[in-house]
Amino acid sequence: MNIARKGPGTGARSPRARLQSSAPRQSLNGTWRFRWSRGLAVAPADAWNQPEQPDSGVPGDDWTDITVPAHWVFEGHGRPAYTNTRFPFAIDPPNPPDENPIGDYRLVFDASPQFRSGAVLRFDGIESAAEVWLNGELLGETRGSRLTHEFDVTGKLNATGNLLAVRVAQFSDASYLEDQDMWWLPGIFRDVDLVATPADGIWDAFAVTDYEAADGTGTIDLFIDVAGAAGADVRLSIPELDIDLDASSGGVIGVGEVEPWSAENPRLYTATLTAPGETVTLQLGFRRIEVKDSVLLVNGTPIQFHGVNRHEHDPERGRVMSPELMKRDLLLMKQHNVNAVRTSHYPPHPDFLTLTDELGLYVILECDLETHGFEEIGWKQNPSADPGWRSAYVDRMQRTVHRDKNHASIVMWSLGNEAGTGTDLEAMAAWTRGFDPSRLIHYEGDWSSTYVDVYSRMYASHREVRQIGEEVLVPAPFDATAAQVHRRSLPFIQCEYAHAMGNGPGGLQEYEELFDAYPRLAGGFIWEWIEHGLAVTGPDGRRGYAYGGDFGEDVHDSNFVIDGLVSADREVRPGLVALAHWYSPVRIEVLDASVRITNRYAFADLSGLRFVWSADAQSGDLKVGDVPAGQSAEVPLPDLDLPEILTVEALLASDTAWAQAGHPVGRGQRLWLNPAEAPADLHAPAPEAFDPVTLRLRSLGGLTLDGPQVGVWRAPTDNDRYPGWDERDLPPYAERWHAAGLDRARTRVVSSSWDEDALRVATRTTPAGRDFSVDADLVWRRVSATALTLDVTLTPFGAWPVEWARLGLDFVLEGAPVGLDWQGQGPGPSYPDLAAGTFWGSHSVEADGLYTPHVKPQESGARAGVREALIRTSGGALKVTVLSAEGVAVTVSPWSRDTLAATAHHHELEADGRTHLSLDVFQSGVGTATCGPGVLPRYRLTPRPGRVTLLLAAGE
Ligand code: IPT
């Protein structure tokens, strides 16, 4: 096995489409025999690949059972490893390291006559290179872990006892081309099948569909590659379109008027191709993707990608996908108004695309290619620029395009990710353009590339995105290069933006507003859909997730692999709730006496939606009428007494393939809240309730507590730990906060006085060794034996060198948190730049809903705009009523911020049995600094005064 060369695999048949066919297929998935070796040099040169070798295992031999498909690191052999961009081995292409786990696989199987007359052995995914033997004969080698290889086994199969032997190398020359930001997971991890290739059957078919919006008609340009005897007759039949004709010679076929395919209305027509030996079924979607005047059009209409990047990930099985999990991902996407997926950074399981066709999502289908590790050495030796690798590059692209070429949902072919620049990429593009001019070509890594059809970038700042939107509206400067002129003719997408790592991402609204404002901007794809946590069991049996470094890797990138809108178990993170709002196809603005409804669909009117208003205790349907795509309408509101809250929701009017009738797709709300009534007849509180040294409250009714302590720090989020891309000259907030001492501020009582009507306390809160502070004036009054009012004025003092994380009052309550009931924004958490998708109302969560279980612990769970909250603990309940005009953000946690900041994994957090409560007057935004801009200026919390009046009562 030669795994140190630059070429593609050997011996496989040329790639073809994955066809839904009548040809028999036999799955070879199941239990195989397996043997692991430390490196190729020590992989036994015995007769492992020969039928004579016993495969059943005798005591003492080194063969065990293994599941196919699986990654062997999850089957008891070796361990997973994570790196982002760095190679976990020396950069010495094309040589893999000597310490290179080798897996030998053996399967004995029978083959019925239908396969013996003609068949291929099909491997859908082996990481990273394999040598394939059948009955002692070498069939060839694979390259391209996420690419399909089919080996011709016609005439090579016996009725019984066939031996399939596969030797897999974890690392190979191919690893230099597969440096995606993900776990290194070796093995046969996708399906293995025996597929019959019947005589007079159909080897390959390519139906290039088109839709002419001007007259509503469709065409099919058909290419058929018949197996066996030349000239076999093939009939094309599309019953719904009354088409039944001889298609043997292929060519363009007009189908007359059709309903076009789009993500909004994924209309498919079932077509069959019938040859004497085989029938193939195609699901045809008629659509046209094109660029006109730097605008991206589908079926003649501008569209916007409301997209996400999706890696394949299962917390127990790595990149082994089940049909259920793929469907779950896509349903969740559709339910959150996502209309596009980039298959980052390799072709997904082939069945994924059947689902995107059916459910309606635009797909950027990406080739299995990334050479990011060469960036470490200034892109020296980058394979993309080395003609020696060209055949490997082009082979990868051909395997990518051929397998999936019949899917209506694929609107662009992407050459790969982060592979630098070079002529091998150009060669991939040239082949693709020649083979399939019906789709656009995407590649982000070469900004001056003249061989792509879209200008694509990742994590560009809002300012830059605006410039890109604007530049096509004015003539190009006269010294512009040809490449610049070409680029200005292209639509712009962000193939990655808004890095969904930890608490975040902020800045979604501002991106969406730009995408809406400039025709050139065709939207983008959030990084990324799923967190790649690997399931582990915590010390007390809790389920948790591992990340880079947890498997003893000496080179790793820690939790950078945990950056999804959903957890590895597909729990929705707050970022996805916010995203669903900004990606919504309707905008609803409640005005004084009317509602403005904007239809943001590209094609559909609003007849698929029902609009429901609710105000205080009343509700009803809102008649919205006909609002064509892209238009707005103002609809009068019912005549109501002035309500406190008016909400209008857009709900699905009927069941769809992805959600049931009543599913919310958009919401608008307006508040006219009246301030809470302040209690009268107040007196000074009892001194015993206060700590004699700190003058903080220690008891209230039967409650034992300690507070408030002024707080301006938060347990750093992932985004707080990275410098924003727009201010890389500054250390990240987490470091600046620590340097300034926000995490270790202490309070001194400056003065206090007991009057008849109040206790007045002035405090100064200052980090050790610093001379900047927050001064607080606290006025306590007694309402009853179980209730007090607290009026607090907070004023920054001195020259704070950094913005704050928040400005608030912290309490510690004896007793563990049990739950929270509140009136405010909810039900999920919100931060100033991550608040969309929450709405004002009465909400309630139990203990495990108080926080977001981010895999790496950090600040989470704030409920904003709260006017009233009941904090339930095992030691009793505290009721907080905000008497001043603005609500507060309430954070309730079983862990202190110090504990959150010091613990590596959520499942390792140890609760101290108390309730940590913060009532924040202000909060900073969260931003998306892990990749991209930090907190935008308007969401930063520059030190400023704040004021709040609270009613605190021991509740029930
Ligand atoms: C970008 C990668 O394309 C993506 O795979 C992922 O690694 C992401 O970053 C971070 O999570 S590349 C980076 C240099 C912006």
Side-chain angles (χ1 to χ4, degrees), residues 47-61:
W48 70 277
N49 50 7
Q50 299 302 317
E52 305 79 61
Q53 171 83 358
D55 63 273
S56 52
V58 288
D61 81 1

Side-chain angles (χ1 to χ4, degrees), residues 140-469:
E141 284 187 10
T142 67
R143 288 294 190 283
S145 299
R146 273 69 55 176
L147 300 173
T148 294
H149 291 80
E150 292 182 303
F151 295 96
D152 192 353
V153 293
T154 306
K156 300 183 198 288
L157 292 166
N158 306 318
T160 59
N162 295 289
L163 174 77
L164 175 58
V166 183
R167 173 163 283 182
V168 179
Q170 164 150 18
F171 300 112
S172 66
D173 42 31
S175 305
Y176 288 98
L177 310 186
E178 298 180 0
D179 188 28
Q180 292 94 337
D181 175 9
M182 60 191 193
W183 295 99
W184 296 90
L185 298 175
I188 305 179
F189 73 98
R190 281 189 188 161
D191 299 331
V192 183
D193 288 287
L194 185 60
V195 183
T197 50
D200 292 330
I202 296 169
W203 168 250
D204 193 10
F206 184 17
V208 183
T209 51
D210 188 27
Y211 176 75
E212 174 53 65
D215 60 9
T217 59
T219 55
I220 310 169
D221 195 359
L222 194 60
F223 301 83
I224 304 174
D225 188 351
V226 285
D233 282 346
V234 181
R235 282 201 85 75
L236 167 70
S237 148
I238 313 174
E240 264 193 284
L241 295 173
D242 281 333
I243 286 175
D244 185 19
L245 45 80
D246 178 8
S248 313
S249 50
V252 179
I253 299 156
V255 298
E257 269 185 44
V258 284
E259 261 186 83
W261 185 97
S262 72
E264 290 171 18
N265 180 20
R267 179 68 161 96
L268 295 170
Y269 292 86
T270 303
T272 53
L273 291 172
T274 310
E278 184 176 6
T279 299
V280 155
T281 307
L282 299 168
Q283 299 298 337
L284 301 179
F286 296 90
R287 83 273 176 278
R288 181 182 295 173
I289 304 101
E290 65 192 320
V291 169
K292 269 200 186 132
D293 302 328
S294 74
V295 177
L296 180 67
L297 305 177
V298 166
N299 303 332
T301 299
I303 62 136
Q304 247 187 51
F305 291 131
H306 288 144
V308 295
N309 281 278
R310 177 180 173 276
H311 265 282
E312 306 209 303
H313 183 73
D314 176 298
E316 258 97 21
R317 306 200 299 164
R319 285 185 285 278
V320 180
M321 284 292 105
S322 67
E324 298 74 37
L325 205 49
M326 290 190 272
K327 181 111 191 231
R328 184 127 167 246
D329 280 337
L330 289 167
L331 293 182
L332 274 171
M333 288 179 198
K334 289 290 287 188
Q335 288 162 5
H336 290 85
N337 299 325
V338 170
N339 76 355
V341 199
R342 172 173 175 236
T343 69
S344 52
H345 302 300
Y346 41 82
H349 187 291
D351 292 349
F352 185 77
L353 299 155
T354 307
L355 294 170
T356 52
D357 288 350
E358 289 171 7
L359 293 169
L361 286 116
Y362 301 113
V363 175
I364 298 187
L365 198 290
E366 195 147 274
C367 184
D368 192 353
L369 176 73
E370 174 158 345
T371 65
H372 212 154
F374 289 91
E375 192 177 27
E376 294 279 322
I377 54 167
W379 293 107
K380 284 196 308 274
Q381 301 184 67
N382 183 16
S384 304
D386 173 355
W389 291 93
R390 187 158 306 157
S391 57
Y393 272 59
V394 174
D395 177 74
R396 277 171 189 264
M397 198 64 199
Q398 290 172 338
R399 290 189 185 283
T400 298
V401 171
H402 275 289
R403 192 194 74 172
D404 297 331
K405 61 197 171 193
N406 289 310
H407 288 287
S409 52
I410 299 175
V411 294
M412 291 186 200
W413 299 115
S414 176
L415 307 180
N417 185 57
E418 293 279 10
T421 60
T423 49
D424 295 345
L425 293 159
E426 225 167 308
M428 292 169 101
W431 176 83
T432 308
R433 195 177 303 286
F435 180 75
D436 181 15
S438 77
R439 293 179 176 100
L440 305 180
I441 294 177
H442 170 269
Y443 176 64
E444 187 274 347
D446 185 353
W447 297 354
S448 65
S449 58
T450 47
Y451 50 83
V452 294
D453 302 313
V454 279
Y455 178 26
S456 175
R457 292 278 303 280
M458 45 173 80
Y459 311 105
S461 68
H462 298 85
R463 184 174 345 127
E464 200 180 354
V465 170
R466 179 188 300 279
Q467 280 165 4
I468 293 169

